Amino acid sequence: MDALHLTLLILCSLSLVYSLSPNCEATSQGSTLRVYHVSSPCSPFRVKTSLSWEESVLQMQADDTTRLNYLTSLVAGRSFVPIGSGRQIIQSPTYIVKVNIGTPPQSLLMALDTSTDTALVPCAGCVGCSSTTFDSAKSVSFLSLACGTDQCKQVQSTSCLGTTCSMNMTYGATSIVASLARDNITLATDSVFGYPFGCIQKATGGSFPPQGVLGLGRGPSSFVSQSKTLYQSTFSYCLPSFKSSNFSGTLRLGTNGQPKNIRYTPLLVNPKKTSLYYVNLIGMKVGSKIVNIPPSALAFNPNNGGGTIIDSGTVFTRLVDGAYTAVRDEFRRRMGKAVVSSLGGFDTCYTVPILKQVPTMTFMFPGVNMSLTQDNFLIHSTFGSTTCLAMSASAAFNVIANMQQQNHRILYDIPNSRVGISREVCS
Ligand SMILES: *[C@@H]1O[C@H](CO)[C@@H](O)[C@H](O)[C@H]1NC(C)=O
Ligand SMILES: *[C@@H]1O[C@H](CO)[C@@H](O)[C@H](O)[C@H]1NC(C)=O
Ligand SMILES: *[C@@H]1O[C@H](CO)[C@@H](O)[C@H](O)[C@H]1NC(C)=O
Ligand SMILES: *[C@@H]1O[C@H](CO)[C@@H](O)[C@H](O)[C@H]1NC(C)=O
């Protein structure tokens, strides 16, 4: 065989391999970007584990607990002591998009985080960051932000280290030291010029997402606020199921192309924590029955952070004790005599087939009833022998997590202070 044919053969084999991992090359169109799960076949952060199903569920719960501690620290406005488990935690937050930073553009994958404002980018030379970093020396539009500038004051957790605007913060269980910088950032076709972000120099504690974080919170330094003239502080996403092998959803920026027939519920503002998306959860249904939940478990309370947030980074929904117990008891009642077991933080698991009896579940908000299918609240072991209700109790506030949001379009319309929710199968 001559060299040309050999080359052709290799190219053909390569394209065959490529076509086997579906949609990885599906291009982003206009202001609509592909969103991948961090363990997707398309994700370079995919970790091949030898964990059993039980172990991987327990690990996801542990990661979620770390996430919850992080959210609690945001709500309470205090930082908490890092847990420093030393384990590499990748599940939280779980969805990534491709982002270009600098001139000429450097491509990075970043995690979507609707509860964080300032973006955090692993920069070249960072101690404790893994995988790809952004090399600021290769970007002609990169600027370090000086201490005392307006942007430095706008971003939380900044302080002056000499003349540099420096950030010392905890993210999940990781302590981060970063310097505040600005550069162009491009998600879709248009660039946001001089976008401020934390250029990470040091990460300790082992749980920082290796891909960095794109902050989609509501605060002034978030991407949503910084790209306001381009995208009118409006975006939506559809998160693919993490069970699906296709694993590609969409992040849509701006008002163009957003669904017209979508029902909205108002966003609530907690003046003590302006970055979080609070919604008013007024009740829950199991099947057609409205569960009797004590109103205090759902009440919005800016003083102690109580109420309900919608978060892209938590995996499993958390409900305040009284709400969780009521929902779980009604769910168990519907399962009849099937014997209940527990797995880690999940206390409602079954080792017998139950799927035929499983009712729908509905989150009720003013203006929208968000109906969940089994895939949004049940997890199954690989061979289907164990099934758990994938929700658990939390102390301070309720979190509508990403498993429950999968295969829904969630539209954040900040100028009108509302969030739209509709079912959309994106994987
Ligand atoms: C970056 O922003 C500057 C203006 O600050 C602009 O001149 C340059 O073209 C931008 N680069 C890219 C890649 O958009
Ligand atoms: C950040 O924290 C490190 C270690 O805890 C400390 O050495 C450093 O001085 C802090 N930087 C600022 C700007 O507070
Ligand atoms: C993957 O996507 C293709 C179309 O793009 C669809 O036909 C197929 O059913 C999907 N597979 C899964 C497991 O969702
Ligand atoms: C949600 O469901 C409840 C109870 O079934 C019903 O009373 C209410 O009108 C529904 N809300 C919307 C917005 O459809």
Side-chain angles (χ1 to χ4, degrees), residues 353-364:
I354 53 159
L355 296 187
K356 285 210 184 92
Q357 292 141 268
V358 170
T360 55
M361 276 207 189
T362 308
F363 290 119
M364 296 163 68

Side-chain angles (χ1 to χ4, degrees), residues 322-372:
Y324 176 70
T325 312
V327 168
R328 177 203 64 189
D329 289 351
E330 178 58 20
F331 182 84
R332 286 184 180 177
R333 200 183 64 76
R334 293 288 296 253
M335 293 304 107
K337 294 197 172 70
V339 175
V340 175
S341 58
S342 66
L343 176 66
F346 295 139
D347 65 3
T348 301
C349 300
Y350 298 89
T351 51
V352 293
I354 53 159
L355 296 187
K356 285 210 184 92
Q357 292 141 268
V358 170
T360 55
M361 276 207 189
T362 308
F363 290 119
M364 296 163 68
F365 306 102
V368 192
N369 284 335
M370 178 183 187
S371 285
L372 307 182

Side-chain angles (χ1 to χ4, degrees), residues 25-229:
E25 281 303 275
T27 46
S28 297
Q29 293 188 330
S31 302
T32 300
L33 293 98
R34 312 303 305 183
V35 174
Y36 300 107
H37 190 275
V38 75
S39 325
S40 142
C42 305
S43 163
F45 304 108
R46 189 180 193 200
V47 181
K48 282 230 169 23
T49 67
S50 53
L51 295 181
S52 70
W53 179 75
E54 280 79 5
E55 287 166 336
S56 63
V57 170
L58 293 177
Q59 177 169 346
M60 278 199 277
Q61 284 178 334
D63 300 347
D64 249 16
T65 302
T66 310
R67 172 81 184 169
L68 204 71
N69 285 340
Y70 171 64
L71 294 175
T72 306
S73 75
L74 294 180
V75 166
R78 62 183 145 82
S79 60
F80 71 100
V81 182
I83 300 162
S85 66
R87 215 154 36 83
Q88 200 60 34
I89 299 173
I90 56 141
Q91 257 82 11
S92 187
T94 20
Y95 290 95
I96 52 179
V97 285
K98 195 193 254 178
V99 170
N100 287 318
I101 307 180
T103 314
Q106 298 177 38
S107 183
L108 292 175
L109 287 159
M110 292 175 78
L112 296 179
D113 188 343
T114 54
S115 297
T116 294
D117 287 340
T118 310
L120 294 167
V121 176
C123 281
C126 167
V127 179
C129 294
S130 49
S131 77
T132 323
T133 53
F134 167 68
D135 189 352
S136 59
K138 293 195 177 135
S139 170
V140 298
S141 45
F142 179 86
L143 277 176
S144 251
L145 278 168
C147 190
T149 53
D150 284 348
Q151 268 135 338
C152 186
K153 289 175 197 154
Q154 205 171 53
V155 173
Q156 283 171 347
S157 331
T158 53
S159 55
C160 293
L161 198 66
T163 56
T164 320
C165 181
S166 175
M167 300 170 75
N168 251 12
M169 61 177 292
T170 55
Y171 183 94
T174 309
S175 302
I176 287 168
V177 179
S179 60
L180 198 65
R182 49 189 304 184
D183 204 339
N184 303 359
I185 184 170
T186 312
L187 268 71
T189 36
D190 301 306
S191 286
V192 178
F193 299 142
Y195 173 73
F197 59 89
C199 189
I200 307 173
Q201 285 144 356
K202 193 175 167 192
T204 26
S207 71
F208 188 72
Q211 58 277 13
V213 170
L214 182 68
L216 294 177
R218 291 173 87 171
S221 63
S222 88
F223 181 79
V224 180
S225 305
Q226 294 289 322
S227 64
K228 195 174 172 185
T229 48

